[in-house]
Amino acid sequence: MPRESKRHKILEAAALIVHNRGIDALTLDAVAEEAQVSKGGLLYHFRSKEALVEGLVLHMNNIYRTNVENAVYEDINREGKWTRAFIKATYDQSLKNTETSAGMLAAQGINPDLLKPLQQTYANWQDNISNDGLDPVQATILRLAADGLWFSEIFGLAPLDEDLRKQVLDTLLKQTHQDKNNA
Amino acid sequence: MPRESKRHKILEAAALIVHNRGIDALTLDAVAEEAQVSKGGLLYHFRSKEALVEGLVLHMNNIYRTNVENAVYEDINREGKWTRAFIKATYDQSLKNTETSAGMLAAQGINPDLLKPLQQTYANWQDNISNDGLDPVQATILRLAADGLWFSEIFGLAPLDEDLRKQVLDTLLKQTHQDKNNA
DNA sequence: GAAACTATACCATCTGGACTGTTTATTTTC
DNA sequence: GAAAATAAACAGTCCAGATGGTATAGTTTC
């Protein structure tokens, strides 16, 4: 068991509980048990429940940002690269929603202020997407559709079956290659 | 004070608490106080906390469905009417999110199974939207964009300013008038 | 030898909800 | 149609158990 991995294990455990049983089941005891850590060990890493949730948000925020940024750098085309990167990263996130959305739900449940880092990230992305060489309104619609995909997975609101989901992804990406003029 | 209105007042109070303070603050005592009802009175209307949340979900589900159905019946055009109705209703909902999204968040927090009625409704809508006389993939994208709009308001993730929001709405509605062939 | 834990006991507070009234409206009885 | 019975709509208190967090004392890892 590598040293620093306990902290990470705790975050994963917390996310799992939120995903499976809802945030009401996110108690310190439950997290400690799930992570196979003593309560003392848990509180050593996170001094309070709020700190734990804060950690969750920060963790997912980091992953999410990294994914988007990587996708941006890998993109060959200049126009629409932020929009494409966001769509790809959000699409991936919507599938692995166990880890990711848990922080968001937990934060909303315990203290909505804890969402600020993620809100900051999103504000930044929306800014980039609006100035991505595409029609801003159309680019925003593509962004929102990606969010909607994630949303549908989180709450189980008519999540798309695999076929349709892939077609949607393809179409969204395709539309980031249209230029401003053919609305 | 009209008689039956207390029940409704309780639901509004619960929604307000979830929206302002997060679902962790949704306690029976807090709801009773906010609704200006005694705890006994609260438990008379809702026999348990779970029943209260169930009531919230059912309530929002009813409103949401009514809004969509009304919009469908008012629509003159046949093609795309479900998609348009969904977009309009969801757009409206995303603005008055106090009342509406609270049930969803609370259910997810306490017992995800309570979301089933709403999931059923959504499944039905997605079916109608996919067979709305439009290209199914494109119609689904429009639906998801509307969901994304709501999502962004619930979590404060780069919510759109009024101008952009209206432009997005217009564009989404406009795109429901394109027929299948010009992808 | 310090950081990273384990293990357990403990406590103040909160929470759901059971329980016992009390009032108000409605229906039934004579 | 007054009185009595019944039920609905609350009010207010109480309690067992859960929960977040503290404290302490020891152990393992680097």
Side-chain angles (χ1 to χ4, degrees):
Chain A
M1 269 165 267
R3 211 90 202 298
E4 179 56 21
S5 69
K6 282 271 167 100
R7 195 190 143 95
H8 191 250
K9 205 172 176 184
I10 290 170
L11 289 172
E12 279 180 338
L16 192 67
I17 289 171
V18 171
H19 183 250
N20 288 344
R21 291 183 270 160
I23 84 143
D24 224 47
L26 187 76
T27 66
L28 295 180
D29 286 313
V31 174
E33 191 187 341
E34 180 72 41
Q36 297 174 75
V37 176
S38 69
K39 198 172 176 180
L42 167 58
L43 284 166
Y44 174 79
H45 285 289
F46 302 97
R47 294 205 305 233
S48 69
K49 188 175 180 179
E50 192 163 320
L52 171 62
V53 174
E54 188 186 9
L56 264 183
V57 174
L58 257 39
H59 184 57
M60 73 161 281
N61 187 38
N62 280 343
I63 294 175
Y64 205 172
R65 284 184 62 163
T66 304
N67 289 346
V68 169
E69 278 164 23
N70 283 349
V72 167
Y73 291 132
E74 283 169 10
D75 205 308
I76 310 163
N77 294 86
R78 211 176 66 246
E79 294 194 344
K81 66 181 176 180
W82 280 99
T83 308
R84 274 190 297 282
F86 177 81
I87 292 168
K88 284 176 190 169
T90 305
Y91 180 90
D92 289 345
Q93 209 116 51
S94 77
L95 296 181
K96 297 181 187 171
N97 76 43
T98 311
E99 298 180 7
T100 326
S101 49
M104 225 167 52
L105 290 169
Q108 176 64 246
I110 284 168
N111 178 2
D113 283 350
L114 297 176
L115 281 171
K116 279 182 182 171
L118 188 62
Q119 290 168 342
Q120 199 66 39
T121 300
Y122 251 79
N124 195 22
W125 284 339
Q126 174 61 28
D127 203 45
N128 288 329
I129 288 170
S130 294
N131 299 287
D132 211 13
L134 308 174
D135 172 64
V137 174
Q138 188 57 33
T140 298
I141 287 176
L142 299 177
R143 172 223 139 174
L144 292 172
D147 278 338
L149 206 70
W150 189 18
F151 177 75
S152 75
E153 293 288 337
I154 292 176
F155 293 103
L157 298 178
L160 309 186
D161 62 79
E162 204 177 323
D163 259 19
L164 183 54
R165 205 172 53 219
K166 282 193 177 172
Q167 286 182 297
V168 164
L169 176 65
D170 284 350
T171 306
L172 288 177
L173 291 177
K174 205 172 291 168
Q175 290 184 4
T176 65
H177 289 110
Q178 295 174 191
D179 68 300
K180 300 189 190 195
N181 308 320
N182 51 345
Chain B
M1 274 163 262
R3 212 93 202 298
E4 178 57 22
S5 69
K6 282 269 168 100
R7 194 189 145 95
H8 191 251
K9 205 171 176 184
I10 290 170
L11 289 173
E12 280 180 337
L16 192 68
I17 289 170
V18 172
H19 182 251
N20 288 342
R21 291 183 268 159
I23 84 141
D24 224 47
L26 187 76
T27 66
L28 295 181
D29 286 315
V31 174
E33 190 187 342
E34 180 71 41
Q36 296 174 73
V37 176
S38 71
K39 201 169 179 181
L42 167 59
L43 284 167
Y44 172 78
H45 286 287
F46 301 97
R47 294 204 305 234
S48 69
K49 187 175 179 178
E50 191 163 322
L52 172 62
V53 173
E54 189 186 8
L56 264 182
V57 173
L58 258 38
H59 184 59
M60 73 161 279
N61 188 38
N62 281 343
I63 294 175
Y64 204 171
R65 283 184 62 165
T66 303
N67 289 347
V68 169
E69 279 164 23
N70 283 348
V72 167
Y73 290 134
E74 283 169 10
D75 205 309
I76 310 163
N77 295 84
R78 211 174 66 248
E79 294 193 343
K81 66 181 175 181
W82 279 100
T83 308
R84 273 189 299 282
F86 177 81
I87 292 169
K88 284 177 191 169
T90 304
Y91 179 88
D92 288 345
Q93 210 115 52
S94 76
L95 296 182
K96 297 181 187 172
N97 76 42
T98 310
E99 298 180 7
T100 327
S101 49
M104 225 167 51
L105 290 169
Q108 176 63 245
I110 283 169
N111 179 2
D113 284 349
L114 297 175
L115 281 171
K116 277 180 182 170
L118 187 62
Q119 289 169 340
Q120 199 67 39
T121 300
Y122 251 79
N124 196 22
W125 284 339
Q126 173 62 29
D127 204 46
N128 288 329
I129 288 170
S130 293
N131 299 287
D132 212 12
L134 308 174
D135 173 65
V137 174
Q138 188 56 34
T140 298
I141 287 176
L142 299 178
R143 172 223 139 176
L144 291 173
D147 278 338
L149 206 68
W150 190 16
F151 178 74
S152 75
E153 292 289 338
I154 292 176
F155 293 103
L157 298 177
L160 310 186
D161 61 79
E162 206 178 322
D163 258 20
L164 183 54
R165 204 171 55 218
K166 282 193 176 174
Q167 286 183 297
V168 164
L169 176 64
D170 283 350
T171 306
L172 289 176
L173 291 175
K174 205 171 290 168
Q175 291 185 1
T176 66
H177 289 110
Q178 295 174 189
D179 68 300
K180 300 189 192 198
N181 307 320
N182 51 344

